[in-house]
Amino acid sequence: MSPRELPVPDWFEPEAVGRLWRVPYQERAAEAAAWAERWQIPPAAGDQRRVGLLLIDAQCTFCIPEFELFVGGRSGSGAVDDTRRLCRFLYRNLAGVTTVVPTLDTHRPLQIFHAVFLVDADGRHPPPYGQVTADELRAGIWRPDPRVCGALGLDAGYVQRHLEHYAAALERGGKYALTVWPYHAMLGGIGHALVPALEEAIFFHSLARTAQPLFQIKGDSPLTESYSALGPEVLVDPDGEPIAARNDALLELLLGFDRVIVAGQAKSHCVAWTVEDLAAGIRRRDPTLAGRFYLLEDCTSPVVVPGAADYTADADRAFERFAEAGMHRVRSNEPVDEWPGWRQRR
């Protein structure tokens, strides 16, 4: 990365990170050009050390307090604090980040993890955050809503078999049971957008460095979930037919960088499972590649629902596994050149 850190622009408003507002693109474009000239920031295409910044699901739905799945962590302000630190990190290290790779959790109303998909014998939908087991589905406690099946052009009997297969596959995989999530990250909605403060920082980086951000869509298949940006939880239906595909192109992109920095939401869910899939891909390719990955631990928070669920310990255990595999746990306020292994040649 750059041998020197840059200042944070004066117009960055830390107190506005948790709010909605419009990014003034034209103003920031002019300021980015002036900033690049003032600080002699070269175009990213000429970087000798290519650094990717993987930002997982830094969207309004997870990062703004009044939105559907705000990630508060134990502090109650987790994602806001994380985003504030992340924006500062990107501005300070603007000249060293080659490419920003933001993922976007992307949903439509009729999906397998939304309440509308399921009904009980009385036609009632399950409550948000409820968990549905394979045994409950086999017993008929929950079944697919036939109206949803019709809207998706699917036979209700097939969807029933798929639900049983899907829930069982999740349980065998040792991740999370089929969870009924509140409607969130809805395609075309405000919650789907990047949180404005980070969107502004990414836009500024793009023009100051003449570098296109590489957005990655995840989670839009109606019959499976995608915590990980690298692939869905279940790949095939009960007949062995594919229902979604892994994002192998993203894995190849990330493994092609000299260094990859990872941040985003939530540490216990989409961040953890994305990095888990990265670690699996690295093991298949070359375990030493794990040393290229840096986890910004103060720019991600776990899911905590007061009085209901606390995934902090799960997130911490996951990050311990990643460190044991050779990845680095770092903090945004540390000089990047002092991160372990950062100065080593590829």
Side-chain angles (χ1 to χ4, degrees):
M1 194 165 281
S2 172
R4 55 173 169 68
E5 288 189 345
L6 299 174
V8 176
D10 291 340
W11 42 257
F12 173 62
E13 298 183 31
E15 67 279 5
V17 166
R19 300 200 302 264
L20 276 177
W21 40 275
R22 182 188 67 82
V23 174
Y25 298 113
Q26 202 58 45
E27 293 174 32
R28 294 296 175 260
E31 289 159 346
W35 199 254
E37 182 177 358
R38 176 181 177 184
W39 297 103
Q40 295 298 291
I41 301 171
D47 286 358
Q48 292 185 341
R49 172 178 287 176
R50 298 181 65 252
V51 176
L53 177 58
L54 176 62
L55 302 181
I56 299 169
D57 299 358
Q59 297 159 268
C60 295
T61 200
F62 303 114
C63 297
I64 293 185
E66 63 267 26
F67 274 66
E68 303 87 0
L69 285 179
F70 174 65
V71 181
R74 287 182 174 173
S75 70
S77 59
V80 173
D81 299 332
D82 298 335
T83 304
R84 187 176 294 118
R85 288 186 284 262
L86 185 53
C87 289
R88 287 186 172 125
F89 176 84
L90 181 53
Y91 286 127
R92 291 199 314 267
N93 296 288
L94 194 79
V97 172
T98 308
T99 305
V100 181
V101 184
T103 72
L104 295 174
D105 205 29
T106 303
H107 302 318
R108 304 167 194 262
L110 309 183
Q111 293 198 251
I112 197 168
F113 47 83
H114 283 155
V116 71
F117 206 91
L118 297 165
V119 290
D120 63 13
D122 297 319
R124 293 173 299 199
H125 300 296
Y129 299 108
Q131 293 193 332
V132 177
T133 68
D135 285 343
E136 289 174 335
L137 289 162
R138 294 188 195 102
I141 295 173
W142 298 109
R143 59 185 177 84
D145 189 320
R147 297 169 298 182
V148 171
C149 298
L152 295 175
L154 298 171
D155 175 74
Y158 164 81
V159 178
Q160 177 67 38
R161 289 194 302 114
H162 177 70
L163 276 166
E164 295 173 15
H165 155 81
Y166 184 82
L170 290 179
E171 292 165 14
R172 287 194 305 271
K175 292 188 179 180
Y176 302 113
L178 174 55
T179 301
V180 181
W181 291 107
Y183 299 99
H184 65 285
M186 302 302 291
L187 181 61
I190 297 172
H192 183 256
L194 288 173
V195 63
L198 187 57
E199 180 199 359
E200 181 177 52
I202 294 170
F203 179 78
F204 191 76
H205 169 271
S206 180
L207 294 193
R209 297 230 60 204
T210 320
Q212 193 84 292
L214 301 179
F215 286 89
Q216 305 290 316
I217 298 296
K218 60 184 274 288
D220 59 346
S221 172
L223 295 180
T224 187
E225 301 164 271
S226 293
Y227 291 114
S228 169
L230 291 173
E233 298 302 298
V234 178
L235 288 164
V236 298
D237 73 2
D239 302 320
E241 295 297 322
I243 54 174
R246 297 189 186 279
N247 191 345
D248 292 330
L250 175 57
L251 177 62
E252 293 302 317
L253 172 71
L254 296 173
L255 294 181
F257 287 112
D258 299 296
R259 300 288 185 269
V260 178
I261 304 165
V262 183
Q265 302 304 334
K267 182 180 180 181
S268 53
H269 286 68
C270 294
V271 172
W273 294 117
T274 297
V275 179
E276 191 79 53
D277 281 352
L278 273 170
I282 287 168
R283 286 194 298 271
R284 292 192 298 268
R285 181 73 58 83
D286 177 358
T288 65
L289 296 177
R292 298 183 190 175
F293 287 79
Y294 293 78
L295 311 179
L296 275 180
E297 200 153 21
D298 62 337
C299 295
T300 183
S301 292
V303 170
V304 176
V305 181
D310 186 336
Y311 291 95
T312 303
D314 300 76
D316 290 343
R317 283 192 293 270
F319 271 51
E320 287 169 7
R321 292 197 306 273
F322 305 147
E324 289 169 0
M327 297 182 181
H328 307 282
R329 300 168 72 174
V330 296
R331 301 184 70 82
S332 64
N333 59 354
E334 300 168 341
V336 173
D337 280 350
E338 295 180 12
W339 285 355
W342 187 268
R343 296 185 183 184
Q344 293 176 3
R345 290 185 176 273
R346 179 170 175 172

